[in-house]
Amino acid sequence: MAAQAASSASEGGSPAAAAAAAAAAASSFPATSLYVGDLDVSVQDAQLFDVFAQIGGVVSVRVCRDVTSRKSLGYAYVNYNTPADAARALEMLNFTPINGRPIRIMYSNRDPSLRKSGTANIFIKNLDKSIDNKALYDTFCVFGNILSCKVATDPAGESKGYGFVQYERDEAAHAAIEKLNGMLMNDKKVYVGPFVRKQERDNSPGNVKFNNVYVKNLAETTTEDDLKEIFGKFGAITSVVVMRDGDGRSKCFGFVNFESPDEAALAVQDLNGKKFSDKEWYVGRAQKKSEREMELKEKFEKNLQEAADKYQNTNLYLKNLDDTVDDEKLRELFAEFGTITSCKVCLNSQLLIYT
């Protein structure tokens, strides 16, 4: 029945009602309990009760506090009599300022497995500092019902430049990634991709943080100022250099160092392979010589293995050939069985490699 409610709500009615049905479907409990986050530490239970009671019948309000100091932990739970009242509260009160801070409301899910699994959860980075929870919500809500939406902030409340959005459905998350990855938000190009848990990120072999970016195949006329202008769109730059020979002529490669590793990675993602002055740039992480040699070795070995796999069971070895048999004679003999890609008689040992 909960699944049917989620389906019918998503087909018609308000987004909050659809989210209520989704929350009910996600657990065996009715969607009457709300999580209220980003609370100012001065907010008391009674004040919160007065705000939420304007919407409907409130059963209980609890601001969560430290056991020892009794200081607010910055979040609370509000329980309503009916799912309809909870849905209206989420729709009407989300991002409402209380004591100077906009609150963030989502359904309280007693089963944390959905949230921890990362299902339908996306990660957004390179956000402008002015983008808050509401701006993020307004941008992403067009793709489907949002269960939670948050911009990460430091203790002072300043944005860290990244955030998270979790949808009701995977389809909405995929659509948001497809449409919004690389878009401009407040003149900054943002990255939008699937959320990956920290443990998986840490274990990923490609998870290497870097600030220094290597760029090659520059035009001889490209200067440091040109690189600053092109790369500066991605974030703050600490240094730029175009390498030159003893006569001052460009060696057609250089380095750009960013303050932020995320901005360096974004520049690599966006600029690698693009053309400037009819030259296709290679843009990648600046590596030590030993790292480059190891990478080339791994690439060479991978290519060898791929070639071996490709021709496995298609290569024939022949021996005890008569001295009169040459390449052409062997090709004529075996051509009726299929297309021959190579045919060679080794003259010294009288053998044939046939593929």
Side-chain angles (χ1 to χ4, degrees):
M1 180 171 292
Q4 291 175 349
S7 176
S8 62
S10 62
E11 291 171 2
S14 70
S27 74
S28 59
F29 297 92
T32 58
S33 181
L34 298 177
Y35 166 90
V36 184
D38 298 344
L39 285 177
D40 186 80
V41 293
S42 64
V43 175
Q44 303 293 319
D45 294 32
Q47 183 182 8
L48 209 58
F49 181 93
D50 290 341
V51 172
F52 281 82
Q54 300 174 55
I55 304 300
V58 175
V59 176
S60 65
V61 171
R62 180 169 64 91
V63 174
C64 296
R65 301 181 179 279
D66 181 84
V67 175
T68 305
S69 68
R70 304 306 298 163
K71 183 179 179 182
S72 170
L73 296 175
Y75 64 92
Y77 293 96
V78 177
N79 294 295
Y80 278 96
N81 274 313
T82 68
D85 287 342
R88 281 195 298 273
L90 192 152
E91 188 168 16
M92 297 176 66
L93 297 179
N94 207 8
F95 309 118
T96 297
I98 299 181
N99 292 3
R101 287 191 65 180
I103 62 175
R104 183 172 57 89
I105 307 173
M106 57 186 281
Y107 281 100
S108 173
N109 189 351
R110 291 172 173 83
D111 179 7
S113 60
L114 176 66
R115 183 180 70 254
K116 292 181 178 180
S117 70
T119 301
N121 203 353
I122 61 177
F123 171 65
I124 306 99
K125 68 179 179 180
N126 203 39
L127 290 170
D128 186 77
K129 300 293 184 181
S130 65
I131 300 293
D132 58 12
N133 293 328
K134 186 177 187 306
L136 196 68
Y137 183 95
D138 290 343
T139 301
F140 284 83
C141 69
V142 297
F143 298 98
N145 298 322
I146 291 176
L147 300 182
S148 66
C149 175
K150 181 173 177 61
V151 173
T153 56
D154 61 21
E158 291 290 320
S159 169
K160 291 183 177 181
Y162 65 89
F164 307 89
V165 174
Q166 185 167 26
Y167 286 97
E168 172 194 347
R169 299 179 182 276
D170 272 330
E171 294 85 349
H174 293 319
I177 292 170
E178 182 180 348
K179 298 295 184 183
L180 299 183
N181 185 35
M183 75 169 289
L184 292 177
M185 292 181 68
N186 287 12
D187 298 323
K188 291 191 73 173
K189 184 174 288 191
V190 297
Y191 166 83
V192 182
F195 168 75
V196 181
R197 290 183 300 175
K198 185 178 186 299
Q199 183 179 2
E200 295 174 357
R201 294 197 305 271
D202 291 343
N203 293 336
S204 172
N207 182 38
V208 180
K209 292 287 186 180
F210 61 94
N211 295 72
N212 201 13
V213 174
Y214 168 67
V215 52
K216 71 175 181 178
N217 205 30
L218 302 174
E220 289 190 8
T221 56
T222 300
T223 66
E224 280 86 354
D225 288 339
D226 295 329
L227 293 185
K228 285 180 183 178
E229 181 179 353
I230 294 169
F231 283 86
K233 298 174 182 177
F234 299 94
I237 293 172
T238 58
S239 65
V240 175
V241 62
V242 174
M243 303 305 293
R244 303 181 183 278
D245 60 22
D247 297 327
R249 291 184 58 184
S250 170
K251 293 184 177 180
C252 298
F253 70 90
F255 300 90
V256 180
N257 201 77
F258 284 89
E259 278 187 5
S260 164
D262 289 339
E263 290 166 352
L266 200 65
V268 169
Q269 177 184 317
D270 190 77
L271 295 178
N272 186 39
K274 283 196 173 180
K275 282 190 174 183
F276 296 89
S277 302
D278 294 326
K279 294 279 191 176
E280 184 175 304
W281 283 7
Y282 167 82
V283 183
R285 176 173 68 92
Q287 296 173 292
K288 296 178 181 178
K289 183 179 179 182
S290 59
E291 289 180 303
R292 292 197 306 272
E293 289 175 346
M294 180 63 69
E295 189 174 282
L296 288 172
K297 181 181 177 183
E298 290 175 355
K299 186 176 180 180
F300 176 72
E301 290 174 349
K302 181 181 178 182
N303 289 340
L304 281 181
Q305 185 59 49
E306 288 177 351
D309 293 342
K310 180 179 179 181
Y311 293 110
Q312 187 176 10
N313 299 325
T314 63
N315 221 8
L316 295 181
Y317 165 74
L318 289 84
K319 66 179 182 178
N320 294 329
L321 297 177
D322 189 87
D323 291 345
T324 61
V325 177
D326 58 12
D327 296 352
E328 273 308 309
K329 195 165 184 178
L330 259 296
R331 184 177 292 274
E332 290 175 9
L333 180 62
F334 283 87
E336 63 179 286
F337 300 102
T339 302
I340 297 174
T341 59
S342 66
C343 181
K344 179 67 177 175
V345 173
C346 297
L347 299 179
N348 289 336
S349 57
Q350 294 299 304
L351 58 84
L352 167 73
I353 303 297
Y354 169 73
T355 61

